[in-house]
Amino acid sequence: MLTKVVLLAIPGVAPFEFGVVCEVFGIDRSEHGGPEFEFSIATAEPGPVRTSLGYDMMIADGLEKAADADLIAVPAHLIDADVHPEVVRVLREAAERGAWILSICSGAFTLAKAGLLSGRSATTHWMHAERLAAEFPDISVDPDVLFVEDGRIITSAGTASGIDACLHLIRIELGAAAANVVARRMVVPPQRAGGQSQYIAAPVKERCTDSFAEVTEWMLEHLEEELTIDELARRALMSPRTFARRFKADLGTTPGAWLNRQRLLRAQQLLEESSLGLDAVAAESGFGTAAVMRHHFAKTLDTTPAAYRRAFTVRLSA
């Protein structure tokens, strides 16, 4: 169970990425049905820690705070800064005991220098991906994803992708309901494209023009129905060809792919929050049959609906 979270303050730390971890894990949201973590910030040498923007943060706690952490988070920082040997030790010990380790943006370089990414897949900000791959050729670097989960290590791409990675971890450990509470409080989508598969694809744009706002809202209200391009185009007052072309340009994916993603999210919600059988879940979410739903779960989430329900029922009731 994810309970104790320690965020490392490293000289040259980027304030935004640092703040992302504080926002996700440092706020008690139990009043709204969300999680509460034992959250602390630690550094190798307690005292002032200089940020990448030139001001100091006063950090009182040393790395002993991380000795029994369930998660150690490494925010973005100046890549060329030396990694303190005690940070390396703490990260390696955490990996050995099976704790989660999460990096945001250039924080992946600290994990790489500690040897934690050797033989693994990872990502970082696209601006730094070539450098990470060149300096650490034993790492499989993917510059085209929001984040990568390999074992108990999660590396995320630049800036806001850290939010996606943190919410992904909460979803794994505590379930979708907990992640949704955090996301709503942060006013961000609880899950961008890719679901819970290890490799999360570049996100579908969440914002659409007025041309599609009404039709996508209608689609969400009628997921259980058979929705054809012709019908959707009529509602958007476009020809089918124009609708398909402009939909993809505006939302970053095809109408069919967008619809399948929304149906998958609806099925996940029903599996987590209801006792409906698989056939009923498939019907209400628009997949029609349990077999079709299983296909989409396997393709996108790398699991089955039954396994998904078992996993999240256990976590949510724990």
Side-chain angles (χ1 to χ4, degrees), residues 208-274:
C208 57
T209 63
D210 292 341
S211 300
F212 293 103
E214 185 175 343
V215 71
T216 52
E217 182 177 352
W218 184 87
M219 291 165 72
L220 290 173
E221 294 172 352
H222 296 80
L223 290 177
E224 74 283 1
E225 301 177 13
E226 183 178 355
L227 305 179
T228 66
I229 290 293
D230 288 345
E231 181 179 5
L232 297 174
R234 283 197 301 271
R235 288 189 168 274
L237 302 179
M238 302 176 190
S239 70
R241 178 176 295 182
T242 298
F243 176 81
R245 175 176 54 80
R246 290 184 57 183
F247 191 100
K248 185 173 183 179
D250 195 55
L251 276 80
T253 190
T254 65
W258 188 90
L259 190 59
N260 280 336
R261 183 68 191 129
Q262 303 311 312
R263 284 172 168 160
L264 190 65
L265 289 171
R266 176 60 176 156
Q268 289 175 270
Q269 180 186 20
L270 291 171
L271 290 169
E272 294 161 5
E273 300 177 3
S274 78

Side-chain angles (χ1 to χ4, degrees), residues 271-272 278 303-318:
L271 290 169
E272 294 161 5
L278 296 186
T303 189
T304 66
Y308 181 89
R309 168 171 274 171
R310 285 195 301 271
F312 283 104
T313 298
V314 170
R315 285 167 185 151
L316 288 172
S317 63

Side-chain angles (χ1 to χ4, degrees), residues 119-193:
R120 296 181 182 271
S121 297
T123 193
T124 186
H125 194 293
W126 58 266
M127 291 177 60
H128 309 313
E130 287 189 8
R131 176 173 176 178
L132 183 64
E135 293 185 4
F136 302 93
D138 58 345
I139 301 174
S140 177
V141 180
D142 189 342
D144 299 321
V145 295
L146 287 177
F147 58 86
V148 170
E149 175 195 342
D150 191 326
R152 304 279 287 184
I153 296 178
I154 298 175
T155 52
S156 70
T159 315
S161 296
I163 300 174
D164 297 286
C166 291
L167 291 176
H168 173 72
L169 179 54
I170 291 177
R171 191 177 181 92
I172 290 174
E173 286 286 313
L174 303 176
N180 288 347
V181 170
V182 177
R184 281 195 295 270
R185 283 285 302 271
M186 293 179 66
V187 198
V188 297
Q191 188 177 12
R192 292 198 275 175

Side-chain angles (χ1 to χ4, degrees), residues 47-115:
V49 175
R50 180 59 56 99
T51 70
S52 61
L53 294 182
Y55 64 86
D56 291 343
M57 298 187 298
M58 292 300 298
I59 309 299
D61 292 323
L63 294 177
E64 64 276 1
K65 279 282 186 179
D68 59 347
D70 301 309
L71 164 65
I72 296 180
V74 181
H77 55 77
L78 299 178
I79 294 175
D80 293 321
D82 292 332
V83 180
H84 198 287
E86 285 300 292
V87 169
V88 172
R89 178 187 62 79
V90 164
L91 289 173
R92 288 177 176 174
E93 290 179 353
E96 289 174 0
R97 70 172 184 271
W100 283 101
I101 298 173
L102 182 149
S103 70
I104 300 179
C105 192
S106 58
F109 283 82
T110 289
L111 272 56
K113 292 173 183 177

